[in-house]
Amino acid sequence: MHLTQGQFSFLPPLTDEQISAQIRWALDHDWAVGVEFTDDPHPRNTYWDMWGMPMFDLRDPAAILYEINECRRAYPTRYIRVTAFDSTRGWEAPRMSYLVNRPEEEPGFSIVRQEGEGRHITYTTHSYATEQPPGERY
């Protein structure tokens, strides 16, 4: 199973050179870049842990790539994503987001069927990763 979240998710993993090019594109649009990581990649888990602070003042892709690689060294078995925020209108909105690291083995998800009153059926997604405690999922 290969998690498909964010831009470029159906492509092979990006190289550092390709990541730097995407960061340069975001910086050219005056977007702040942040690095986040998690061990719970559920699509509705939008609150990933932040690696440092968003880099509002960094204008060099090499400095941001350095932070990505430091996060990779600290959390080699977690999902790591880069998100670019646009604050040009006075409010932050993510404009691009993509994975730059993933565990070697991705356990995947299951669909859970729930039956309610009046034959009402709902489905939810369950991440197999959450069956282990945080920090031990990969």
Side-chain angles (χ1 to χ4, degrees):
M1 170 74 208
H2 183 79
L3 184 71
T4 54
Q5 285 187 20
Q7 294 170 288
F8 318 120
S9 62
F10 293 96
L11 298 175
L14 297 176
T15 64
D16 283 357
E17 183 179 329
Q18 292 169 324
I19 293 168
S20 291
Q22 294 303 318
I23 292 169
R24 166 56 50 212
W25 194 84
L27 294 175
D28 287 346
H29 287 81
D30 294 322
W31 298 343
V33 177
V35 179
E36 302 168 302
F37 60 95
T38 191
D39 62 356
D40 178 13
H42 190 285
R44 291 188 178 159
N45 175 18
T46 58
Y47 300 106
W48 291 28
D49 293 309
M50 182 71 77
W51 176 261
M53 297 298 291
M55 295 168 249
F56 292 105
D57 56 346
L58 284 180
R59 306 306 306 160
D60 181 12
I64 296 170
L65 187 61
Y66 172 82
E67 293 298 330
I68 291 168
N69 286 326
E70 287 298 303
C71 189
R72 284 173 172 163
R73 274 190 273 288
Y75 301 105
T77 61
R78 302 226 178 140
Y79 291 93
I80 300 173
R81 74 178 173 196
V82 171
T83 303
F85 297 95
D86 180 2
S87 62
T88 57
R89 293 189 174 97
W91 49 276
E92 291 183 357
R95 297 293 287 259
M96 67 186 317
S97 178
Y98 51 93
L99 294 176
V100 294
N101 197 71
R102 60 179 69 240
E104 285 186 28
E105 179 186 337
E106 299 181 75
F109 297 89
S110 67
I111 302 293
V112 179
R113 177 183 166 144
Q114 299 171 336
E115 297 185 28
E117 285 186 43
R119 304 173 97 187
H120 180 78
I121 299 172
T122 59
Y123 295 90
T124 58
T125 306
H126 169 73
S127 171
Y128 291 123
T130 59
E131 293 174 0
Q132 300 294 323
E136 298 177 20
R137 293 180 175 160
Y138 295 100

